[in-house]
């Protein structure tokens, strides 16, 4: 069964594309300006890949997302692990985190523009804000769970606080931290596209809005595909890190 | 014989949401465990046997009475008392060797020495071929062996085992019972044996392993009787078929049956 | 053990929020220049804007503007979200239950998933124009994937033993689906619906920032345009409060619909 799946799936996709290219135009008569045909998108894609502006936009967006993500990871991991191991720290920050968390990062876009203007700083701020909460919450859960499940074993082995932290809490929390990072990076990527649509003069989000205002619907679709591909690339990179750093994660451990 | 661990009138209660929910886990629990002795504690679910073990380990505070090791009050966990947990609690991010080495690392031994000692114990539990594997790659019985090696590698004076064989299958269980006796040092003179407190549900396991069997009842957890095991050492498999073995098992069951039935019903 | 300390920790928990409020009040007393007020509005200004937006009847709408915008956002959220549930749950069950749907539909769904809802905004604007349809579509798209993914996982995760027990007691296919697989998958589906609602909120704000003339997202975008930071803050607060309320509602729904699941 399994080996037959992909040829059949490919066939299905080809049929769908063919229907889209040759049948849909006869039904939807508003014209290719609204329903870009596969051939148009392919053309748009090639011209996009050939333009320096497109590549600059990619570099700008990815750079912003990585910068914001780095900030969020640095603060989120340290704070999260502190929350997980120290009930006092948790009590100190949990109300504040719970009050800020329900607000989607997108709702910060207008105020970020007022505070930092249009451009890199507000973009990085927004990405960091969006990525921070999944990272800090997962890091805290990881440290807490590790202490619960393995704290006693570490204690009765006679290990001191530093060794327990270094050899038990940190490695135990690592997979959770990486999971939080993956979610956070995904949110960050969503946030940056949104932020660039409203509050930037550069980046993929700006480019796609511009393509729309020039009625270049083929570029819009091509940009969407690129946004999706970059999202996959970012996530699979972290997934690989996760598998390499914690091969035991997700298996029946104990 | 020297007293290794001593409990005098130990009491422990868990407060519930309301006063009526409070559970008395241990009441007036007095027991002496001698150096080099293998003591088993049996009793129905919820009789407080794990609570007692955790208290000796220094993982739980007691509310009443006193608890000593070598005449010194127990206040916190320490490397002189090793614990083998029911779910093993092997560190999933460490290989078999790193798990076994961990308590040596805690003692600050140099790397080469650590490795050598760990190797010896890994060999003792027949896991040499698996020393670089992670716990998830091991079968249940192998995990248990790894936990045993980790338990003894740090050379604690007292071994505390909390139903260590509860999660392995029945046949592996029989095999591991022999291994526990071997690791404990059954073939050595008493002076060189470690002190073991072994908590279990299984009466025949207690009879096969222990020198003395402390029988507990539940709600509140109290010591009902201490049964001295007349079976000769070294314990051999054929003893399981002896009339003495079955009679002893039956006698102990008679002691706890009523409490066990009550434990199911509440 | 933690019980007697709880009274003490409550005070400790309030330290940071109170400190932030004090800092805000203090800074707005010190920084009184017009440009500073633009960056950090004093609390009384935010309060004034909140009263203005929430209590003063707008001559055009016949209602306070904040309520109008909130109602519009909630209406779009409800439409898009309910549509997402209506499509994603049956589709997820089909993919989880029937091999054919898994082979030929699931991979298409998975291929669409990486394209985030916000990336669809320009195309949706081209298709549907500025207005409610665009926003509803974006909410639908954002909420759809978590729900479908969890429905598939829930159906697939149903223990084979339950199914076998049902077959052994003479259950037919449909009854197994209705009495065994659906209830067993329900907790997972509800979790997906909760995540989907969260993504829906993100999506609606993003879509309203550019794709409408009303709604809370439009409100804060427009206020920013007029450099009216007080209204921006009020709008953000409204979004946050509605987000919390809808999440609480979902949590309540979980306890009502799955009474047999022990609560953590």
């Amino acid at each position: 069964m399994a080996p037959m799946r992909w040829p059949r799936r490919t066939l299905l996709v080809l049929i769908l594309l063919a229907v889209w290219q040759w049948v849909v135009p006869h039904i939807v008569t508003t014209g290719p300006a609204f329903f870009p045909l596969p051939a148009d998108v392919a053309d748009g894609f090639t011209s996009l890949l050939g333009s320096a502006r497109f590549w600059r936009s990619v570099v700008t967006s990815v750079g912003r997302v990585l910068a914001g993500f780095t900030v969020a990871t640095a603060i989120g991991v340290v704070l999260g692990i502190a929350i997980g191991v120290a009930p006092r720290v948790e009590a100190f920050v949990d109300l504040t985190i719970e009050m800020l968390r329900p607000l989607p990062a997108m709702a910060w876009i207008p105020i970020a523009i007022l505070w930092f203007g249009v451009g890199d700083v507000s973009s990085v701020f927004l990405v960091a804000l969006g990525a921070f909460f999944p990272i800090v919450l997962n890091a805290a859960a990881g440290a807490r769970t590790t202490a619960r499940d393995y704290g006693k074993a570490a204690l009765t082995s006679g290990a001191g606080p530093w060794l327990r932290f270094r050899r038990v809490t940190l490695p135990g929390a690592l997979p959770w931290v990486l999971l939080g990072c993956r979610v956070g990076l995904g949110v960050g990527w969503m946030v940056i596209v949104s932020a660039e649509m409203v509050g930037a003069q550069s980046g993929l989000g700006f480019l796609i809005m511009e393509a729309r205002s020039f009625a270049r619907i083929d570029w819009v679709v091509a940009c969407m595909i690129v946004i999706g591909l970059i999202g996959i690339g970012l996530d699979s990179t972290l997934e690989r890190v996760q598998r390499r750093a914690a091969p035991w994660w997700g298996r029946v451990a104990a | 014989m020297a007293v290794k661990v001593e409990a005098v009138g130990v009491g422990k209660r868990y407060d519930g949401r309301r006063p009526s929910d409070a559970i008395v886990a241990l009441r007036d629990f007095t027991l002496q465990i001698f150096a080099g002795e293998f003591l088993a504690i049996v009793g129905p679910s919820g009789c407080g046997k794990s609570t007692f073990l955790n208290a000796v380990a220094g993982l739980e505070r007691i509310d009443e009475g006193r608890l000593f090791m070598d005449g010194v009050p127990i206040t916190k966990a320490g490397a002189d008392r090793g614990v083998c947990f029911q779910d093993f609690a092997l560190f999933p991010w460490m290989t078999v060797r790193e798990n076994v080495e961990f308590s040596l690392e805690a003692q600050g031994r140099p790397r080469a020495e650590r490795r050598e000692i760990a190797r010896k114990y890994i060999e003792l539990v027949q896991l040499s071929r698996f020393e670089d594997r992670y716990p998830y790659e091991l079968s249940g019985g192998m995990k248990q062996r790894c936990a045993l090696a980790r338990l003894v590698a740090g050379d604690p004076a007292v071994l505390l085992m909390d139903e260590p064989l509860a999660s392995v299958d029945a046949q592996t269980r029989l095999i591991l019972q022999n291994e526990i006796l071997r690791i404990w040092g059954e073939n050595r003179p008493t002076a060189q044996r470690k002190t073991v407190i072994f908590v279990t549900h299984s009466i025949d396991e207690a009879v096969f392993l222990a020198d003395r069997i402390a029988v507990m009842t539940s709600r509140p957890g109290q010591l009902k009787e201490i049964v001295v095991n007349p079976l000769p050492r070294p314990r051999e498999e054929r003893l399981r078929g002896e009339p003495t073995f079955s009679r002893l098992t039956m006698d102990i069951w008679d002691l706890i049956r009523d409490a066990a039935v009550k434990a199911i019903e509440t | 053990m933690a019980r007697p300390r709880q009274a003490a920790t409550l005070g400790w928990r309030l330290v940071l929020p109170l400190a932030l409020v004090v800092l805000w009040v203090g800074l707005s007393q010190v920084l009184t220049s017009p440009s500073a007020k633009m960056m950090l509005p004093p609390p009384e200004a935010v309060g004034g804007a909140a009263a203005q937006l929430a209590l003063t009847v707008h001559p055009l709408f016949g209602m306070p503007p904040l309520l109008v915008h909130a109602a519009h956002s909630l209406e779009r959220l409800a439409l898009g979200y309910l549509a997402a549930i209506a499509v994603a749950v049956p589709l997820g069950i089909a993919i989880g239950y029937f091999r054919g749907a898994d082979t030929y539909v699931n991979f298409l769904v998975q291929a669409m998933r990486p394209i985030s809802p916000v990336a669809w905004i320009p195309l949706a604007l081209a298709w549907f124009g500025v207005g409610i349809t665009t926003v509803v579509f974006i909410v639908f798209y954002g909420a759809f994937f978590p729900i479908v993914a969890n429905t598939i996982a829930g159906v697939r995760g149903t223990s084979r033993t339950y199914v076998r027990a049902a077959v052994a007691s003479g259950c037919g296919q449909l009854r197994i689906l209705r009495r065994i697989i659906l209830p067993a998958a329900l907790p997972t589906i509800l979790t997906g619906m909760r995540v989907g609602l969260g993504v829906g909120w993100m999506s609606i704000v993003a879509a309203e920032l550019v794709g409408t003339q009303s709604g809370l997202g439009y409100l804060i975008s427009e206020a920013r345009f007029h450099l009216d930071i007080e209204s921006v803050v009020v709008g953000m607060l409204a979004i946050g409060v509605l987000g919390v309320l809808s999440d609480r509602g979902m949590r309540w729904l979980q306890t009502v619909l799955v009474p047999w699941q022990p609560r953590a």
Side-chain angles (χ1 to χ4, degrees), chain A residues 146 149-150 152-159 163 166-168 171-172 247-248 251-254, chain B residues 59 77-79 81 83 85 89-94 98 102-103 105-106 134-136 143 150:
Chain A
T146 306
D149 292 349
Y150 302 103
K152 286 182 177 179
L155 211 55
T156 54
S157 299
L163 188 70
R166 192 166 56 83
R167 292 286 278 152
V168 179
W248 44 271
R251 318 286 187 110
V252 187
Chain B
L59 294 171
R81 284 149 291 148
V83 183
F85 295 91
L90 293 174
F91 302 121
W93 50 91
M94 296 185 193
E98 288 174 313
F102 184 66
S103 53
E105 203 177 328
Y134 286 103
Y136 77 84
K143 278 181 204 164
R150 182 175 74 173

Side-chain angles (χ1 to χ4, degrees), chain A residues 128-150:
Chain A
L129 201 65
F132 172 75
F133 291 104
I135 296 175
V136 75
L137 294 178
N138 273 287
R144 203 178 297 131
T145 311
T146 306
R148 187 195 65 203
D149 292 349
Y150 302 103

Side-chain angles (χ1 to χ4, degrees), chain B residues 10 12 14 23-27 29 41-55 60 162-163 199 216-222:
Chain B
V10 169
K12 169 82 188 176
Y14 294 105
I23 293 170
V24 179
L26 285 175
R27 175 179 292 170
F29 191 85
I41 304 180
V42 295
S45 305
C47 72
K49 44 193 198 298
S50 294
T51 303
F52 176 66
L53 204 78
N54 282 332
E60 248 176 270
D162 189 2
E163 307 199 29
V199 163
M216 290 183 70
T217 56
S218 52
R219 311 268 162 91
Q222 267 174 317

